Amino acid sequence: SPAPKLVFNRVNGKRPPLLLQQISAPEECYTLAHEENVRFVYEAWQQVEQQLDGSRSGDSACGPVQYVEKTPNPGLKNFVPIDLEEWWAQQFLAKIENCS
């Protein structure tokens, strides 16, 4: 069966307002929609990892299949994935600092 497709609907069919960054401010601004998207992807990935762990231990015959390249791309040799838990902690602390 085909995998379910993700559908992102716009509120009232309108594009969300863009946040204008000040040229003098080097910090990034994130909208509530951006944070919701990051949370959604993070939670969905946690589910995939749990299913992968379950299929490795023999709990489930079906589930996600992990792709592993036969010949890794040398350009990605030093690639380091983002640590979302650390990112959320930094965002949380930045909000606290900005409010005080």
Side-chain angles (χ1 to χ4, degrees):
S1 70
K5 294 182 181 180
L6 296 178
V7 177
F8 296 96
N9 295 318
R10 293 182 179 158
V11 178
N12 298 329
K14 298 179 182 177
R15 291 184 178 194
L18 297 174
L19 289 179
L20 299 177
Q21 288 184 313
Q22 297 176 351
I23 295 173
S24 62
E27 66 185 68
E28 296 182 35
C29 293
Y30 297 103
T31 64
L32 181 59
H34 172 81
E35 290 187 20
E36 288 175 2
N37 288 341
V38 171
R39 186 176 295 112
F40 170 79
V41 169
Y42 175 77
E43 290 172 358
W45 184 248
Q46 293 302 312
Q47 291 177 355
V48 169
E49 285 187 326
Q50 288 175 356
Q51 291 173 356
L52 275 173
D53 289 342
S55 65
R56 284 186 197 133
S57 63
D59 292 347
S60 174
C62 61
V65 176
Q66 186 172 7
Y67 172 77
V68 179
E69 290 188 77
K70 293 179 177 116
T71 54
N73 183 341
L76 296 176
K77 179 176 68 172
N78 297 323
F79 174 76
V80 178
I82 186 171
D83 181 347
L84 284 179
E85 291 179 0
E86 177 65 25
W87 184 86
W88 278 113
Q90 289 174 358
Q91 297 304 306
F92 178 74
L93 292 175
K95 283 183 181 179
I96 291 173
E97 290 174 1
N98 288 339
C99 290
S100 57

